[in-house]
Amino acid sequence: MKRPGSVAVALLTGAIAGLALTAPWGWPVRVAGAVAVSLVVAASEVVARSRQRPGQIPALWSRVVMSGALAAPLGWALGAVTGAGPVVAGLVMGGLAGLLGIRPYKVILGPVVGLLTGWTLSLVWADVPAAVTATCVIVAFRVLAALLFREAGVSLLAERVDAAQLPFVVPLAARTRYVGTGYVRDLAELTGGSYQGGAPDVGIVASLDDLAGPQFDPAGTDQLVREFYEHTTRFTLDIVPRWRMWVRPGYLLYRSLVARPLGQANVPMNQKETQRGIRSRIDTISGPDGAISVRGWIRSFTDTDEPIYVGIYTTYRRDGRGYVSVGFPLPQASFTATLEPRSRPGGGLVLTSRSKLDQPGHYLTYVDERGGQLTALAVHGFAEQLDVFVSDGALRAEHAFWIFGLPFLVLHYRMHRKPAS
């Protein structure tokens, strides 16, 4: 189960952590610390991988060890830049751990653990380095969270398997650290397909009939809803985001540190921001026969073309049901939302991951750059539902999101048909 290079990564991570933890002392101590911590982290990786079974992620204790090692250089940087003492450093690192935990109760638990850990360390070691504080906070938080909250946030579905074994995953990754609105064009250059940017009269699905199943009869769909899905580029979009207050601080941090530098999943914060205008287009890649093989729905701000979403839309059938899978490319990875279609009263269409079936859900997938094999995690705590309907003759949509059952965002869409050329 040992992934090539995992031990080397563990050795490097441990060495950096050791240097950070022993930074206040001379070079002999720092070198010894780097060697000792790197060996501990590498040994943890080797033992955990040797005991790992198919369908499992590495043991919790090994993930705690790695988390503590990763925290050390962050704590060192915090202390070096701000001069923060153990209480402040503990509070900051605990808050960061809570935000990364995503769940609301972890968001609350993180600062509490950080504050108590930093305060306790200050009593027994007045000059405790910020790196040591950070490592202790993260380890304490991970252990306590595991004891209090037993529900698994993720689980390993498959490791190093062919894409055909995971039909609910869109196995398209970004080759660079920035995804951006040119992703489909770059993918076409890599694969040799025929690229068309802003393809006219194209939909995010070829036909709603591909989604037919026990819960969805395409024949009962309103023609305007069908037109939107099969000819998406005929419409413009207006978006009104409604964020829950409790999630806003964490999202602002994520957006600044992750979404904007990544050029992906950069949802507007409020309606004022959407007044910049939303540009919606579909870039396609076609094969030698002219059939479209890739449909990339790209939404960006009109004034700067800054990406909001870059999603690759696919459909597939399994056991007499159709599904929609939307892949969001990430550097050497992909985040996929696989949704079950359901008929809505009045001719609407619901696409949801909140299903008892085994296909719908959210999946984070690492794509091996050399062989194209996939390692996929199921992300259990995330859920979404897209409801498209006609109200008073106008096309509307509500896109709702949940984290561990708690609603945190609803995107309200208004779709208008473009004027005829």
Side-chain angles (χ1 to χ4, degrees), residues 175-225:
R175 305 294 175 176
T176 64
R177 295 182 180 179
Y178 187 78
V179 181
T181 57
Y183 172 78
V184 178
R185 180 191 63 238
D186 297 339
L187 180 65
E189 292 178 357
L190 180 69
T191 60
S194 178
Y195 167 74
Q196 185 170 16
D201 206 25
V202 173
I204 53 178
V205 300
S207 172
L208 278 189
D209 296 334
D210 296 336
L211 304 181
Q215 302 299 321
F216 176 61
D217 180 9
T221 305
D222 189 285
Q223 287 302 309
L224 195 56
V225 174

Side-chain angles (χ1 to χ4, degrees), residues 3-22:
R3 188 185 303 282
S6 62
V7 176
V9 172
L11 284 168
L12 178 60
T13 302
I16 295 173
L19 290 173
L21 291 168
T22 57

Side-chain angles (χ1 to χ4, degrees), residues 1-3 6-7 43-53 56-59 61-62 156 159 375:
M1 298 295 292
K2 184 172 68 176
R3 188 185 303 282
S6 62
V7 176
S44 170
E45 175 72 12
V46 170
V47 173
R49 289 289 181 178
S50 66
R51 296 182 175 182
Q52 185 181 355
R53 297 293 179 263
Q56 295 179 342
I57 58 178
W61 58 265
S62 70
L156 182 64
E159 187 169 23
T375 297

Side-chain angles (χ1 to χ4, degrees), residues 372-388:
Q373 292 182 311
L374 309 181
T375 297
L377 298 172
V379 183
H380 300 296
F382 197 80
E384 66 179 291
Q385 182 165 300
L386 176 61
D387 190 357
V388 180

Side-chain angles (χ1 to χ4, degrees), residues 44-251:
S44 170
E45 175 72 12
V46 170
V47 173
R49 289 289 181 178
S50 66
R51 296 182 175 182
Q52 185 181 355
R53 297 293 179 263
Q56 295 179 342
I57 58 178
L60 173 64
W61 58 265
S62 70
R63 289 180 278 135
V64 172
V65 170
M66 181 60 75
S67 297
L70 292 171
L74 290 178
W76 172 85
L78 176 64
V81 172
T82 67
V87 175
V88 174
L91 182 61
V92 171
M93 293 302 299
L96 178 61
L99 289 174
L100 293 176
I102 298 178
R103 308 183 203 190
Y105 35 79
K106 285 190 176 183
V107 172
I108 296 172
L109 178 67
V112 174
V113 171
L115 187 63
L116 292 176
T117 303
W119 176 73
T120 303
L121 287 172
S122 70
L123 294 179
V124 300
W125 187 359
D127 297 325
V128 57
V132 174
T133 300
T135 296
C136 291
V137 167
I138 297 302
V139 170
F141 172 80
R142 291 295 306 271
V143 172
L144 189 57
L147 292 173
L148 294 176
F149 313 122
R150 301 271 181 178
E151 182 183 0
V154 298
S155 63
L156 182 64
L157 285 179
E159 187 169 23
R160 301 184 65 81
V161 301
D162 293 333
Q165 295 181 241
L166 302 176
F168 45 81
V169 167
V170 180
L172 295 177
R175 305 294 175 176
T176 64
R177 295 182 180 179
Y178 187 78
V179 181
T181 57
Y183 172 78
V184 178
R185 180 191 63 238
D186 297 339
L187 180 65
E189 292 178 357
L190 180 69
T191 60
S194 178
Y195 167 74
Q196 185 170 16
D201 206 25
V202 173
I204 53 178
V205 300
S207 172
L208 278 189
D209 296 334
D210 296 336
L211 304 181
Q215 302 299 321
F216 176 61
D217 180 9
T221 305
D222 189 285
Q223 287 302 309
L224 195 56
V225 174
R226 177 183 282 270
E227 183 182 7
F228 172 73
Y229 275 97
E230 297 178 351
H231 305 278
T232 311
T233 55
R234 293 180 183 177
F235 296 84
T236 61
L237 301 178
D238 292 330
I239 304 176
V240 179
R242 302 294 187 195
W243 291 89
R244 294 295 179 103
M245 290 299 298
W246 65 267
V247 81
R248 288 191 176 200
Y251 177 70

